[in-house]
Structure formats: C-alpha cells, structure tokens
Amino acid sequence: MYLLLLIAIIGLKTLLCKGLAIGVFLLAFWIKGRQLRFNSDEWDNFFLSLPEAKVQQYAIGIYLTAAVVSSVISYFILESAGYRHSLGIAVLIFIGGLAITAYKWHTKGRDYLLKRYQEIPKTILERKEKEHRENE
C-alpha cells in the first residue's frame, strides 16, 4: 500500500512540477510584459537582443524553481501520509527528477529550445520586413 501511494505521490510531483513550470513561465512573461508596457515593438526588441545563453538560464531557472516548490509540496504530502523519512524521500525524488531532466536536457532538450528560440528573431525580422514593404 505504501509503495503504491509513493508511486502516486511521485506522479503527482511530476505533474505538479510541470504545472508550476508553466505557471512560472507565464508569470515571468507577464512581469516582463508589464515592464515593456505590453508594447509589441518593445517585445520585438527584447527578443532580438536576448542572447541564447540567457534563454538557457531562464529555462534552467524556471525548471529549478518548479522542481524545488513541487518537492517541498511532496514533502508535506509524504509527511501527512505518515511516511517516516519524508524529507529523505522528498530529496531523493527531487534528485531523481533532476537527474532525469538533466539527461533529457543534455541529449535533446537544449538543442530543441535553442532551435525554437532561433526561429523567433527570424519571424520578427520577416514580419518587420513585410510591414516595411507594405508601408512603402
């Protein structure tokens, strides 16, 4: 019974981590949007000047924030479920998730993120060029 509950908690932690990552991502964009006064030209300039290294740092920061918060919540769930070593189990779940994510990041995640990010400036420049031609 405890093993089945532990598997369910690990699954919940994984889903919670993904949900929190999306929430942190959206919150970061909302905060940046407020700084840029939700002006599309300011957004364009922001993305055109944003280096790839910074994109990677943001992605890692968002993941780590979500992983830590979801692990803390998992600790409280484990504690309320009556597990003896709740903190140790929560730390092991965190380290396991971190190891799996680090492997995925190094094998394909980083390249995918950078490939998708490189499409943004191209799209912005193509749109600006099209607008410039239409205004002439």
Side-chain angles (χ1 to χ4, degrees), residues 36-126:
L36 299 175
R37 297 174 301 283
F38 298 102
N39 182 321
S40 63
D41 289 332
E42 292 290 325
W43 274 109
D44 290 348
N45 294 335
F46 170 74
F47 282 117
L48 289 172
S49 66
L50 185 64
E52 290 180 359
K54 198 72 163 171
V55 172
Q56 289 184 53
Q57 289 174 351
Y58 286 143
I60 291 168
I62 288 169
Y63 168 73
L64 287 176
T65 301
V68 168
V69 171
S70 64
S71 293
V72 169
I73 292 170
S74 295
Y75 163 74
F76 287 113
I77 293 171
L78 288 164
E79 191 69 25
S80 66
Y83 283 87
R84 278 189 177 174
H85 305 289
S86 301
L87 181 61
I89 295 169
V91 169
L92 285 174
I93 293 170
F94 171 77
I95 291 170
L98 189 64
I100 291 168
T101 303
Y103 173 76
K104 288 180 181 180
W105 175 257
H106 287 292
T107 56
K108 60 184 176 182
R110 179 181 5 176
D111 294 335
Y112 178 76
L113 174 71
L114 294 178
K115 178 183 169 205
R116 298 300 300 202
Y117 173 70
Q118 290 168 352
E119 293 173 4
I120 294 172
K122 290 177 187 175
T123 305
I124 292 170
L125 294 173
E126 288 171 1

